[in-house]
């Protein structure tokens, strides 16, 4: 009985270590589900940010870099989408990155957001307005 209990405790301790998230585990490059964009997540101080480092179609029909034309702030509409910071101000807390925002350049809207690492190479992105129950989730895959 003691041996079985010891094995069970060892297994639980090992399992918790395997699934425990470290705050820097999301750093790196990720691709969105449609394959249209790659986002690099990085740290500034103790907060996490992400910017578009590659997009499938970086230029408009005239061959010029696509700009953030849907931005609600008119002065930012001429800024190129490539290099645009779309994830801002995430803090690591309890195995999740939360209290940040995600910006959607296709709509010009900014949403509250939380990030959860489902596996080492799968990042769940939950964008929402107000309460997390009302929103949308995407899963990004890590780029090696």
């Amino acid at each position: 009985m003691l041996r079985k209990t010891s094995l069970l405790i060892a297994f639980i301790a090992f399992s918790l270590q395997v699934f425990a998230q470290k705050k820097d585990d999301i750093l790196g490059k990720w691709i969105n589900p449609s394959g249209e964009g790659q986002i690099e997540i990085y740290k500034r101080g103790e907060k996490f940010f992400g910017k578009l480092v590659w997009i499938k179609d970086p230029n408009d029909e005239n061959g010029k870099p696509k700009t953030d034309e849907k931005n609600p702030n008119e002065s930012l509409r001429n800024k190129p989408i490539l290099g645009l910071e779309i994830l801002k101000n995430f803090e690591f807390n309890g195995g999740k990155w939360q209290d940040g925002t995600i910006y959607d350049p296709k709509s010009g809207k900014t949403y509250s957001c939380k990030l959860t690492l489902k596996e080492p190479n799968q990042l769940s992105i939950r964008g929402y307005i107000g309460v997390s129950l009302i929103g949308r989730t995407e899963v990004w895959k890590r780029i090696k």
Side-chain angles (χ1 to χ4, degrees), residues 1-139:
M1 179 71 173
L2 182 60
R3 182 179 170 151
K4 286 183 181 179
T5 304
S6 297
L7 285 173
L8 180 62
I9 291 171
F11 176 75
I12 291 171
F14 176 74
S15 297
L16 291 175
Q17 287 178 348
V18 169
F19 296 112
Q21 305 298 320
K22 292 182 234 126
K23 65 180 171 179
D24 290 349
D25 285 352
I26 63 167
L27 298 178
K29 289 184 182 174
W30 301 85
I31 191 161
N32 68 354
S34 68
E36 294 177 276
Q38 293 179 9
I39 301 89
E40 181 174 9
I41 297 179
Y42 53 93
K43 235 172 126 172
R44 198 172 332 148
E46 286 300 310
K47 293 193 177 187
F48 295 83
F49 297 82
K51 66 180 175 182
L52 282 167
V53 292
W54 176 87
I55 52 176
K56 186 176 184 178
D57 298 313
N59 297 325
D60 64 17
E61 60 278 349
N62 299 319
K64 294 184 178 182
K66 287 183 180 175
T67 59
D68 191 14
E69 61 187 30
K70 302 248 172 128
N71 196 307
N73 182 339
E74 283 187 44
S75 67
L76 298 176
R77 291 182 182 163
N78 290 328
K79 192 171 183 172
I81 289 180
L82 194 60
L84 195 64
E85 198 169 65
I86 63 166
L87 297 174
K88 294 183 179 181
N89 297 315
F90 287 85
E91 295 179 3
F92 183 73
N93 187 6
K96 294 180 182 177
W97 294 262
Q98 50 196 20
D99 299 327
T101 60
I102 186 166
Y103 174 70
D104 177 7
K106 287 183 178 180
S107 68
K109 295 183 179 178
T110 300
Y111 302 94
S112 297
C113 187
K114 66 180 177 179
L115 313 173
T116 308
L117 205 55
K118 295 294 182 188
E119 296 177 14
N121 297 318
Q122 289 190 346
L123 184 63
S124 175
I125 314 294
R126 178 82 178 157
Y128 56 94
I129 297 172
V131 196
S132 152
L133 293 172
I134 304 169
R136 189 179 95 199
T137 300
E138 285 189 349
V139 176

